[in-house]
Amino acid sequence: MNISELTISQLRSAYTAGDITPVEALRALAGEIDARDPGIGAYLSYDLDRALVDAQSADLSQPLGGIPILLKDLISAKGHPLSCASKFLENTYTAPYDATVVRKLREAGAIPFGRANMDEFAMGSTNENSAIKLCRNPHDLERVPGGSSGGSAAAVAANLAIASLGSDTGGSIRQPASHCGVVGLKPSYGRVSRYGLAAFASSLDQCGPITKTVADTARLLEVIAGGCDYDSTCISTPVPRYSEEIGKDITGLRIGLPTEYFAEGLDPAIRERIESAMKTMESLGATIIPVSLPHTEYVVAIYYIIATAEASSNLARIDGVRYGRRAEASDLTELYEKSRGEGFGSEVKRRILFGTHVLSSGYYDAYYLRAQKARTLIRQDFESAFSRVDLIAAPVSPTPPVKIGEAEADPLRMYLADIYTISANLTGICALSVPCGTVSVEGKPLPVGLQLLGKPFGEVELLRAAHAYEQARG
Amino acid sequence: MDIRHIARLARIELNSEEILRYQTQIDQLIQYVEKLTELDLDDIHPTSHAVEIFDVMRPDEARDGALSLEEVLMNSPSVTQEQFRLPKVVE
């Protein structure tokens, strides 16, 4: 039995049957990481000794008893390093407290194990903005794993992790999950606490699972979801038993296909995979209905104004005073400017600069307020579509993963590739990526994800449809 | 848009190569987002959050689990007398 290939459900069964103990599982997993991760780069670090202490006292009766969970390197776990894959925080920051999601994982018996590579401060869609090291796609080492949760998705895909938690501000869970051929869920805004996650854009960020199966995503979500005293945007609506709900059939489900998503720009081979997945859905009793999201062409502009504006504000605290690297300086302004100039990578600087411009005196109404108003139109598009259908189906990314080095020359082109994922963040709805086959690029099969989008707090219907598809797909 | 002015507001020191590059790239982004001027947004209410949540209040009482002074200071690059140490601010 190769432990690292197991799902959460399978590892639980192996523990229950007495085939293996959590201590043995962690040692085996660490051995796999040491042997194979140098060729992939999914892990920034792990602490086996600390995890073994947790493993020795693991309560296997708990829902995630003894299960190691890899954390994206922006999720605080007390005593663990946290760098956001930035030179600013690398080797200088240790989390002094647990994020709410980590506290909930621990209470459910899970063991936080490993820090996943990512784009610096979650800004990017290729993982190439990691200031610490490159992360490769396990399906083709010349290609990117996607981002920003690239390390999480690559580790799960390469069987170097059982499951992981990532974060999604504009597609950062779903897009790497699609590129790496694993399952990734962005929960509805307010479903999961953001307390203890290094914030990128506070009105868009959500934390969610990246796993090998939809059932594992359901199991993780029911542990991490729920209200939080430390995040006032987190809603205390009761958490359904997702893992028990997913098995029901989907006869009569209405799935909308947005006409605008299947226009120019979408790779024909990906389009064919999505259409084939819709045939599978029909065979399961679902009805496919065309819908319109008329303002789709504006979502990238809206998103990059709002996300960078919020980021420029959130990242003001990264200043070399309370944490992080500090440059030599003779006065306070110089200390800020030099520390930030030396500490941030180029994409982070670009986004902070753009966000600062759109919020600057005289420009607020022209950019930020206009984007917030246009955001209302996107919400109305989805409300209108969801009055006719239960779920929406879409691609995740218009293209397969690009080759390492291809994206950096043209930032705008890279931003435009987020077109199918960012609406879920702007509107706060839930959405996931589930593998729907491969496309052949230069003779190599590369994974493609099917995106399903659900109503706010509609995770039960979303996971049920994804699970039914996953079972039928084989 | 003057990139030097924006960089000063953002408190980020840029070298001469970065000034040239960001001036061009951010001008391009600005040009791109001008797309939004095509929309008639006069009577549209802005959305600041996906979920309409109003002020969440709680009693103003200290809670258990607050960080200790040591934990608060432990990540700072410079600490003295249980405080963050900085260059002189007031002349």
Side-chain angles (χ1 to χ4, degrees), chain A residues 174 178 255-262 266 270-275 277-278 281 288-289 291 293 296 382 386 391-398 418-424 429-436 448-454 462 469:
Chain A
R174 291 161 284 157
S178 174
I255 300 176
L257 268 190
T259 321
E260 293 80 2
Y261 286 11
F262 295 87
L266 176 61
I270 292 178
R271 179 192 181 119
E272 194 276 322
R273 296 315 318 154
I274 305 298
E275 286 170 349
M278 291 305 100
M281 287 298 203
I288 312 300
I289 301 165
V291 294
L293 300 169
T296 297
F382 276 82
F386 278 128
L391 294 177
I392 290 171
V396 176
S397 168
D418 296 342
I419 185 157
Y420 305 129
T421 49
I422 54 193
S423 292
I429 63 176
C430 54
L432 59 71
S433 175
V434 57
C436 68
V448 177
L450 163 68
Q451 186 176 202
L452 295 172
L453 304 96
L462 183 71
Y469 171 73

Short mmCIF file of all heavy atoms in Angstrom, two decimals, chain A residues 174 178 255-262 266 270-275 277-278 281 288-289 291 293 296 382 386 391-398 418-424 429-436 448-454 462 469:
data_model
loop_
_atom_site.label_atom_id
_atom_site.label_comp_id
_atom_site.label_asym_id
_atom_site.label_seq_id
_atom_site.Cartn_x
_atom_site.Cartn_y
_atom_site.Cartn_z
N ARG A 174 -9.58 26.72 -7.96
CA ARG A 174 -10.18 25.98 -9.08
C ARG A 174 -9.24 25.83 -10.26
O ARG A 174 -9.18 24.77 -10.91
CB ARG A 174 -11.47 26.69 -9.53
CG ARG A 174 -12.60 26.59 -8.50
CD ARG A 174 -13.65 27.65 -8.74
NE ARG A 174 -13.20 28.97 -8.30
CZ ARG A 174 -13.66 30.13 -8.73
NH1 ARG A 174 -14.60 30.15 -9.65
NH2 ARG A 174 -13.21 31.28 -8.25
N SER A 178 -7.85 22.40 -11.80
CA SER A 178 -8.13 22.03 -13.18
C SER A 178 -6.85 21.64 -13.91
O SER A 178 -6.78 20.59 -14.56
CB SER A 178 -8.80 23.21 -13.89
OG SER A 178 -8.96 22.96 -15.27
N ILE A 255 -29.08 22.43 -15.41
CA ILE A 255 -27.73 23.00 -15.51
C ILE A 255 -27.68 24.02 -16.64
O ILE A 255 -28.02 23.71 -17.79
CB ILE A 255 -26.68 21.90 -15.77
CG1 ILE A 255 -26.69 20.87 -14.64
CG2 ILE A 255 -25.28 22.50 -15.92
CD1 ILE A 255 -25.76 19.69 -14.85
N GLY A 256 -27.27 25.23 -16.33
CA GLY A 256 -27.18 26.29 -17.33
C GLY A 256 -25.80 26.34 -17.97
O GLY A 256 -24.79 26.19 -17.30
N LEU A 257 -25.79 26.54 -19.29
CA LEU A 257 -24.52 26.73 -20.01
C LEU A 257 -24.49 28.17 -20.53
O LEU A 257 -25.28 28.52 -21.42
CB LEU A 257 -24.43 25.78 -21.20
CG LEU A 257 -23.78 24.42 -21.05
CD1 LEU A 257 -23.61 23.79 -22.43
CD2 LEU A 257 -22.45 24.48 -20.34
N PRO A 258 -23.61 29.02 -20.01
CA PRO A 258 -23.58 30.42 -20.45
C PRO A 258 -23.07 30.55 -21.88
O PRO A 258 -21.95 30.15 -22.18
CB PRO A 258 -22.60 31.09 -19.48
CG PRO A 258 -22.36 30.10 -18.39
CD PRO A 258 -22.61 28.75 -18.96
N THR A 259 -23.89 31.10 -22.73
CA THR A 259 -23.53 31.27 -24.14
C THR A 259 -22.21 32.03 -24.28
O THR A 259 -21.36 31.67 -25.10
CB THR A 259 -24.63 32.10 -24.85
OG1 THR A 259 -25.89 31.66 -24.34
CG2 THR A 259 -24.59 31.90 -26.34
N GLU A 260 -22.04 33.08 -23.46
CA GLU A 260 -20.86 33.94 -23.59
C GLU A 260 -19.55 33.21 -23.30
O GLU A 260 -18.49 33.64 -23.72
CB GLU A 260 -20.98 35.15 -22.64
CG GLU A 260 -22.09 36.13 -22.98
CD GLU A 260 -23.48 35.68 -22.51
OE1 GLU A 260 -23.58 34.61 -21.88
OE2 GLU A 260 -24.46 36.39 -22.79
N TYR A 261 -19.62 32.10 -22.54
CA TYR A 261 -18.40 31.39 -22.17
C TYR A 261 -17.88 30.50 -23.30
O TYR A 261 -16.77 30.01 -23.25
CB TYR A 261 -18.62 30.51 -20.94
CG TYR A 261 -18.72 31.25 -19.62
CD1 TYR A 261 -18.83 32.63 -19.57
CD2 TYR A 261 -18.70 30.55 -18.42
CE1 TYR A 261 -18.93 33.31 -18.36
CE2 TYR A 261 -18.79 31.21 -17.20
CZ TYR A 261 -18.91 32.58 -17.17
OH TYR A 261 -19.01 33.23 -15.96
N PHE A 262 -18.72 30.27 -24.29
CA PHE A 262 -18.32 29.35 -25.36
C PHE A 262 -18.09 30.11 -26.67
O PHE A 262 -18.26 29.58 -27.75
CB PHE A 262 -19.34 28.22 -25.51
CG PHE A 262 -19.38 27.36 -24.28
CD1 PHE A 262 -20.19 27.68 -23.20
CD2 PHE A 262 -18.55 26.24 -24.19
CE1 PHE A 262 -20.18 26.90 -22.05
CE2 PHE A 262 -18.54 25.46 -23.04
CZ PHE A 262 -19.36 25.79 -21.97
N LEU A 266 -11.85 30.38 -26.25
CA LEU A 266 -11.85 29.08 -25.58
C LEU A 266 -11.21 28.03 -26.50
O LEU A 266 -11.61 27.88 -27.66
CB LEU A 266 -13.29 28.67 -25.24
CG LEU A 266 -13.48 27.28 -24.61
CD1 LEU A 266 -12.74 27.19 -23.28
CD2 LEU A 266 -14.96 26.98 -24.40
N ILE A 270 -10.84 22.00 -25.18
CA ILE A 270 -11.45 22.14 -23.85
C ILE A 270 -12.97 22.22 -24.00
O ILE A 270 -13.72 21.58 -23.25
CB ILE A 270 -10.87 23.36 -23.11
CG1 ILE A 270 -9.39 23.11 -22.79
CG2 ILE A 270 -11.67 23.68 -21.85
CD1 ILE A 270 -8.69 24.25 -22.10
N ARG A 271 -13.40 22.99 -24.98
CA ARG A 271 -14.84 23.09 -25.26
C ARG A 271 -15.44 21.70 -25.47
O ARG A 271 -16.51 21.37 -24.93
CB ARG A 271 -15.02 23.95 -26.52
CG ARG A 271 -16.46 24.12 -26.91
CD ARG A 271 -16.59 24.72 -28.32
NE ARG A 271 -17.99 24.87 -28.61
CZ ARG A 271 -18.59 26.02 -28.87
NH1 ARG A 271 -17.89 27.13 -28.89
NH2 ARG A 271 -19.88 26.08 -29.09
N GLU A 272 -14.73 20.88 -26.22
CA GLU A 272 -15.21 19.53 -26.51
C GLU A 272 -15.32 18.70 -25.22
O GLU A 272 -16.27 17.94 -25.04
CB GLU A 272 -14.26 18.88 -27.53
CG GLU A 272 -14.76 17.62 -28.19
CD GLU A 272 -14.50 16.38 -27.36
OE1 GLU A 272 -13.43 16.29 -26.73
OE2 GLU A 272 -15.39 15.51 -27.31
N ARG A 273 -14.36 18.86 -24.29
CA ARG A 273 -14.41 18.12 -23.02
C ARG A 273 -15.64 18.55 -22.21
O ARG A 273 -16.30 17.74 -21.57
CB ARG A 273 -13.16 18.37 -22.17
CG ARG A 273 -11.81 17.90 -22.69
CD ARG A 273 -11.78 16.50 -23.26
NE ARG A 273 -12.52 15.53 -22.50
CZ ARG A 273 -13.05 14.41 -23.01
NH1 ARG A 273 -12.95 14.16 -24.31
NH2 ARG A 273 -13.69 13.57 -22.25
N ILE A 274 -15.90 19.86 -22.19
CA ILE A 274 -17.04 20.36 -21.39
C ILE A 274 -18.36 19.85 -22.00
O ILE A 274 -19.26 19.40 -21.29
CB ILE A 274 -17.05 21.92 -21.35
CG1 ILE A 274 -15.71 22.47 -20.83
CG2 ILE A 274 -18.21 22.44 -20.51
CD1 ILE A 274 -15.33 22.10 -19.44
N GLU A 275 -18.43 19.88 -23.35
CA GLU A 275 -19.66 19.40 -24.00
C GLU A 275 -19.87 17.92 -23.75
O GLU A 275 -21.00 17.46 -23.53
CB GLU A 275 -19.59 19.70 -25.50
CG GLU A 275 -19.80 21.20 -25.78
CD GLU A 275 -19.51 21.60 -27.21
OE1 GLU A 275 -18.93 20.79 -27.97
OE2 GLU A 275 -19.82 22.76 -27.56
N ALA A 277 -18.83 16.34 -21.09
CA ALA A 277 -19.27 16.23 -19.69
C ALA A 277 -20.76 16.52 -19.56
O ALA A 277 -21.46 15.90 -18.74
CB ALA A 277 -18.45 17.18 -18.81
N MET A 278 -21.27 17.44 -20.38
CA MET A 278 -22.70 17.76 -20.34
C MET A 278 -23.54 16.57 -20.81
O MET A 278 -24.65 16.35 -20.30
CB MET A 278 -22.99 19.01 -21.18
CG MET A 278 -22.45 20.31 -20.60
SD MET A 278 -22.97 20.65 -18.89
CE MET A 278 -21.55 20.12 -17.97
N MET A 281 -23.83 14.39 -17.91
CA MET A 281 -24.82 14.95 -16.98
C MET A 281 -26.24 14.64 -17.44
O MET A 281 -27.10 14.29 -16.63
CB MET A 281 -24.63 16.47 -16.85
CG MET A 281 -23.41 16.88 -16.05
SD MET A 281 -23.53 16.29 -14.34
CE MET A 281 -22.43 17.41 -13.51
N ILE A 288 -29.85 20.28 -19.68
CA ILE A 288 -28.92 21.37 -19.99
C ILE A 288 -29.70 22.50 -20.66
O ILE A 288 -30.41 22.28 -21.64
CB ILE A 288 -27.79 20.89 -20.93
CG1 ILE A 288 -27.18 19.58 -20.42
CG2 ILE A 288 -26.73 21.97 -21.11
CD1 ILE A 288 -26.56 19.64 -19.04
N ILE A 289 -29.55 23.71 -20.11
CA ILE A 289 -30.32 24.86 -20.59
C ILE A 289 -29.36 26.00 -20.90
O ILE A 289 -28.54 26.36 -20.06
CB ILE A 289 -31.32 25.32 -19.49
CG1 ILE A 289 -32.28 24.17 -19.14
CG2 ILE A 289 -32.07 26.58 -19.92
CD1 ILE A 289 -33.06 24.39 -17.86
N VAL A 291 -28.01 29.64 -20.94
CA VAL A 291 -28.30 30.86 -20.18
C VAL A 291 -27.38 31.96 -20.69
O VAL A 291 -26.41 31.69 -21.40
CB VAL A 291 -28.10 30.70 -18.65
CG1 VAL A 291 -29.11 29.72 -18.06
CG2 VAL A 291 -26.67 30.24 -18.32
N LEU A 293 -25.01 35.38 -19.59
CA LEU A 293 -24.37 36.25 -18.58
C LEU A 293 -23.83 37.44 -19.37
O LEU A 293 -22.65 37.50 -19.71
CB LEU A 293 -23.25 35.49 -17.86
CG LEU A 293 -23.69 34.22 -17.09
CD1 LEU A 293 -22.48 33.41 -16.64
CD2 LEU A 293 -24.56 34.59 -15.89
N THR A 296 -20.29 39.44 -19.11
CA THR A 296 -19.06 38.66 -18.97
C THR A 296 -17.81 39.42 -19.43
O THR A 296 -16.77 39.33 -18.80
CB THR A 296 -19.20 37.33 -19.73
OG1 THR A 296 -20.26 36.58 -19.12
CG2 THR A 296 -17.92 36.51 -19.69
N PHE A 382 -26.08 36.78 -12.66
CA PHE A 382 -26.13 35.44 -12.06
C PHE A 382 -27.48 35.18 -11.39
O PHE A 382 -28.01 34.07 -11.46
CB PHE A 382 -24.96 35.24 -11.08
CG PHE A 382 -23.70 34.81 -11.79
CD1 PHE A 382 -22.88 35.74 -12.41
CD2 PHE A 382 -23.36 33.46 -11.90
CE1 PHE A 382 -21.73 35.34 -13.09
CE2 PHE A 382 -22.23 33.05 -12.58
CZ PHE A 382 -21.40 34.00 -13.18
N PHE A 386 -29.73 32.09 -12.30
CA PHE A 386 -30.11 31.11 -11.27
C PHE A 386 -31.62 31.08 -11.01
O PHE A 386 -32.10 30.23 -10.28
CB PHE A 386 -29.35 31.37 -9.97
CG PHE A 386 -27.96 30.78 -9.96
CD1 PHE A 386 -26.85 31.56 -9.65
CD2 PHE A 386 -27.75 29.44 -10.27
CE1 PHE A 386 -25.57 31.02 -9.63
CE2 PHE A 386 -26.48 28.89 -10.26
CZ PHE A 386 -25.38 29.68 -9.94
N LEU A 391 -27.72 24.95 -11.32
CA LEU A 391 -26.26 25.09 -11.36
C LEU A 391 -25.88 25.65 -12.72
O LEU A 391 -26.64 25.56 -13.68
CB LEU A 391 -25.58 23.71 -11.23
CG LEU A 391 -25.68 22.93 -9.93
CD1 LEU A 391 -24.99 21.58 -10.10
CD2 LEU A 391 -25.06 23.68 -8.77
N ILE A 392 -24.65 26.20 -12.77
CA ILE A 392 -24.09 26.63 -14.06
C ILE A 392 -22.84 25.80 -14.31
O ILE A 392 -22.07 25.52 -13.38
CB ILE A 392 -23.79 28.15 -14.03
CG1 ILE A 392 -25.10 28.93 -14.01
CG2 ILE A 392 -22.91 28.56 -15.21
CD1 ILE A 392 -24.95 30.41 -13.78
N ALA A 393 -22.65 25.38 -15.56
CA ALA A 393 -21.44 24.64 -15.93
C ALA A 393 -20.60 25.51 -16.85
O ALA A 393 -21.14 26.27 -17.67
CB ALA A 393 -21.81 23.33 -16.63
N ALA A 394 -19.29 25.38 -16.73
CA ALA A 394 -18.38 26.25 -17.49
C ALA A 394 -17.01 25.62 -17.56
O ALA A 394 -16.71 24.70 -16.80
CB ALA A 394 -18.29 27.61 -16.79
N PRO A 395 -16.15 26.14 -18.44
CA PRO A 395 -14.73 25.77 -18.34
C PRO A 395 -14.16 26.43 -17.08
O PRO A 395 -14.79 27.31 -16.48
CB PRO A 395 -14.11 26.39 -19.59
CG PRO A 395 -15.23 26.96 -20.40
CD PRO A 395 -16.40 27.12 -19.50
N VAL A 396 -12.95 26.03 -16.70
CA VAL A 396 -12.23 26.71 -15.62
C VAL A 396 -11.25 27.71 -16.24
O VAL A 396 -11.20 28.87 -15.88
CB VAL A 396 -11.47 25.70 -14.74
CG1 VAL A 396 -10.65 26.44 -13.67
CG2 VAL A 396 -12.46 24.73 -14.08
N SER A 397 -10.48 27.20 -17.21
CA SER A 397 -9.47 28.02 -17.86
C SER A 397 -9.68 27.90 -19.37
O SER A 397 -10.04 26.83 -19.85
CB SER A 397 -8.08 27.50 -17.47
OG SER A 397 -7.09 28.09 -18.29
N PRO A 398 -9.47 28.98 -20.12
CA PRO A 398 -9.67 28.90 -21.57
C PRO A 398 -8.60 28.07 -22.29
O PRO A 398 -8.80 27.70 -23.44
CB PRO A 398 -9.59 30.36 -22.02
CG PRO A 398 -8.91 31.10 -20.92
CD PRO A 398 -9.16 30.33 -19.66
N ASP A 418 -8.39 34.56 -16.53
CA ASP A 418 -9.20 34.31 -15.33
C ASP A 418 -10.69 34.52 -15.58
O ASP A 418 -11.49 34.47 -14.65
CB ASP A 418 -8.77 35.26 -14.20
CG ASP A 418 -7.35 35.02 -13.74
OD1 ASP A 418 -6.80 33.94 -14.02
OD2 ASP A 418 -6.78 35.92 -13.09
N ILE A 419 -11.08 34.73 -16.82
CA ILE A 419 -12.43 35.20 -17.13
C ILE A 419 -13.55 34.29 -16.61
O ILE A 419 -14.60 34.77 -16.19
CB ILE A 419 -12.59 35.46 -18.65
CG1 ILE A 419 -13.96 36.07 -18.96
CG2 ILE A 419 -12.37 34.18 -19.46
CD1 ILE A 419 -14.01 36.85 -20.24
N TYR A 420 -13.32 32.96 -16.59
CA TYR A 420 -14.41 32.05 -16.17
C TYR A 420 -14.49 31.85 -14.66
O TYR A 420 -15.45 31.30 -14.16
CB TYR A 420 -14.23 30.67 -16.83
CG TYR A 420 -14.13 30.71 -18.33
CD1 TYR A 420 -13.09 30.09 -19.00
CD2 TYR A 420 -15.07 31.40 -19.10
CE1 TYR A 420 -12.98 30.12 -20.38
CE2 TYR A 420 -14.98 31.45 -20.48
CZ TYR A 420 -13.93 30.81 -21.11
OH TYR A 420 -13.82 30.86 -22.48
N THR A 421 -13.42 32.23 -13.95
CA THR A 421 -13.41 31.93 -12.51
C THR A 421 -13.75 33.13 -11.63
O THR A 421 -14.28 32.95 -10.52
CB THR A 421 -12.04 31.37 -12.07
OG1 THR A 421 -11.00 32.22 -12.58
CG2 THR A 421 -11.85 29.95 -12.56
N ILE A 422 -13.45 34.36 -12.07
CA ILE A 422 -13.55 35.49 -11.14
C ILE A 422 -14.98 35.90 -10.81
O ILE A 422 -15.21 36.46 -9.75
CB ILE A 422 -12.74 36.71 -11.63
CG1 ILE A 422 -13.10 37.12 -13.03
CG2 ILE A 422 -11.27 36.48 -11.52
CD1 ILE A 422 -12.12 38.10 -13.64
N SER A 423 -15.94 35.56 -11.67
CA SER A 423 -17.32 35.95 -11.35
C SER A 423 -17.82 35.32 -10.06
O SER A 423 -18.59 35.94 -9.32
CB SER A 423 -18.26 35.57 -12.50
OG SER A 423 -17.97 36.36 -13.63
N ALA A 424 -17.38 34.10 -9.77
CA ALA A 424 -17.82 33.45 -8.53
C ALA A 424 -17.34 34.23 -7.31
O ALA A 424 -18.04 34.30 -6.29
CB ALA A 424 -17.31 32.01 -8.47
N ILE A 429 -20.78 33.43 -4.94
CA ILE A 429 -21.37 32.10 -5.06
C ILE A 429 -20.29 31.01 -4.89
O ILE A 429 -19.10 31.32 -4.86
CB ILE A 429 -22.08 31.92 -6.43
CG1 ILE A 429 -21.08 32.02 -7.58
CG2 ILE A 429 -23.18 32.97 -6.57
CD1 ILE A 429 -21.70 31.77 -8.96
N CYS A 430 -20.73 29.74 -4.76
CA CYS A 430 -19.76 28.66 -4.63
C CYS A 430 -19.48 28.06 -6.01
O CYS A 430 -20.32 28.12 -6.91
CB CYS A 430 -20.28 27.58 -3.67
SG CYS A 430 -21.91 26.92 -4.05
N ALA A 431 -18.27 27.52 -6.17
CA ALA A 431 -17.90 26.94 -7.46
C ALA A 431 -16.77 25.95 -7.25
O ALA A 431 -15.97 26.10 -6.32
CB ALA A 431 -17.45 28.04 -8.42
N LEU A 432 -16.73 24.92 -8.08
CA LEU A 432 -15.65 23.94 -7.96
C LEU A 432 -15.16 23.51 -9.33
O LEU A 432 -15.81 23.72 -10.35
CB LEU A 432 -16.09 22.72 -7.13
CG LEU A 432 -17.28 21.88 -7.58
CD1 LEU A 432 -16.98 21.05 -8.82
CD2 LEU A 432 -17.69 20.95 -6.45
N SER A 433 -13.99 22.87 -9.31
CA SER A 433 -13.46 22.24 -10.51
C SER A 433 -13.35 20.75 -10.23
O SER A 433 -12.83 20.35 -9.20
CB SER A 433 -12.08 22.81 -10.85
OG SER A 433 -11.51 22.11 -11.95
N VAL A 434 -13.87 19.95 -11.18
CA VAL A 434 -13.77 18.49 -11.07
C VAL A 434 -13.17 18.01 -12.40
O VAL A 434 -13.54 18.50 -13.47
CB VAL A 434 -15.15 17.86 -10.77
CG1 VAL A 434 -16.19 18.21 -11.80
CG2 VAL A 434 -15.05 16.35 -10.60
N PRO A 435 -12.19 17.08 -12.35
CA PRO A 435 -11.54 16.66 -13.59
C PRO A 435 -12.54 16.09 -14.59
O PRO A 435 -13.44 15.33 -14.22
CB PRO A 435 -10.56 15.57 -13.13
CG PRO A 435 -10.31 15.87 -11.68
CD PRO A 435 -11.60 16.44 -11.16
N CYS A 436 -12.41 16.47 -15.87
CA CYS A 436 -13.32 15.96 -16.91
C CYS A 436 -12.53 15.46 -18.12
O CYS A 436 -12.93 15.68 -19.26
CB CYS A 436 -14.36 17.00 -17.29
SG CYS A 436 -13.73 18.42 -18.17
N VAL A 448 -8.04 18.58 -17.74
CA VAL A 448 -9.00 19.67 -17.91
C VAL A 448 -10.04 19.55 -16.81
O VAL A 448 -10.51 18.45 -16.51
CB VAL A 448 -9.73 19.58 -19.27
CG1 VAL A 448 -10.77 20.69 -19.40
CG2 VAL A 448 -8.74 19.67 -20.42
N GLY A 449 -10.41 20.67 -16.23
CA GLY A 449 -11.44 20.67 -15.19
C GLY A 449 -12.77 21.18 -15.73
O GLY A 449 -12.80 22.08 -16.57
N LEU A 450 -13.84 20.58 -15.24
CA LEU A 450 -15.19 21.09 -15.48
C LEU A 450 -15.53 21.97 -14.28
O LEU A 450 -15.41 21.53 -13.14
CB LEU A 450 -16.19 19.93 -15.56
CG LEU A 450 -17.67 20.27 -15.41
CD1 LEU A 450 -18.17 21.08 -16.61
CD2 LEU A 450 -18.51 19.01 -15.22
N GLN A 451 -15.93 23.22 -14.56
CA GLN A 451 -16.35 24.08 -13.46
C GLN A 451 -17.86 24.01 -13.29
O GLN A 451 -18.61 24.11 -14.27
CB GLN A 451 -15.93 25.54 -13.70
CG GLN A 451 -16.23 26.43 -12.49
CD GLN A 451 -15.75 27.86 -12.63
OE1 GLN A 451 -15.57 28.55 -11.65
NE2 GLN A 451 -15.57 28.32 -13.84
N LEU A 452 -18.29 23.80 -12.06
CA LEU A 452 -19.71 23.89 -11.73
C LEU A 452 -19.85 25.03 -10.74
O LEU A 452 -19.05 25.15 -9.80
CB LEU A 452 -20.22 22.58 -11.13
CG LEU A 452 -20.20 21.37 -12.07
CD1 LEU A 452 -20.55 20.09 -11.29
CD2 LEU A 452 -21.19 21.57 -13.22
N LEU A 453 -20.86 25.88 -10.96
CA LEU A 453 -21.10 27.02 -10.08
C LEU A 453 -22.49 26.91 -9.48
O LEU A 453 -23.46 26.60 -10.19
CB LEU A 453 -20.98 28.34 -10.86
CG LEU A 453 -19.66 28.59 -11.61
CD1 LEU A 453 -19.77 28.18 -13.07
CD2 LEU A 453 -19.24 30.05 -11.52
N GLY A 454 -22.57 27.12 -8.16
CA GLY A 454 -23.85 26.96 -7.46
C GLY A 454 -24.31 28.25 -6.82
O GLY A 454 -23.57 29.23 -6.74
N LEU A 462 -24.17 21.56 -5.35
CA LEU A 462 -22.94 21.64 -6.14
C LEU A 462 -22.12 20.35 -5.99
O LEU A 462 -21.71 19.74 -6.98
CB LEU A 462 -22.13 22.85 -5.67
CG LEU A 462 -20.84 23.14 -6.44
CD1 LEU A 462 -21.16 23.68 -7.82
CD2 LEU A 462 -19.99 24.17 -5.67
N TYR A 469 -21.23 13.25 -11.29
CA TYR A 469 -20.44 13.28 -12.52
C TYR A 469 -19.17 12.46 -12.38
O TYR A 469 -18.81 11.66 -13.26
CB TYR A 469 -20.09 14.73 -12.91
CG TYR A 469 -19.11 14.76 -14.04
CD1 TYR A 469 -19.51 14.44 -15.34
CD2 TYR A 469 -17.76 15.02 -13.81
CE1 TYR A 469 -18.60 14.39 -16.38
CE2 TYR A 469 -16.84 14.98 -14.84
CZ TYR A 469 -17.26 14.66 -16.13
OH TYR A 469 -16.36 14.59 -17.15
#
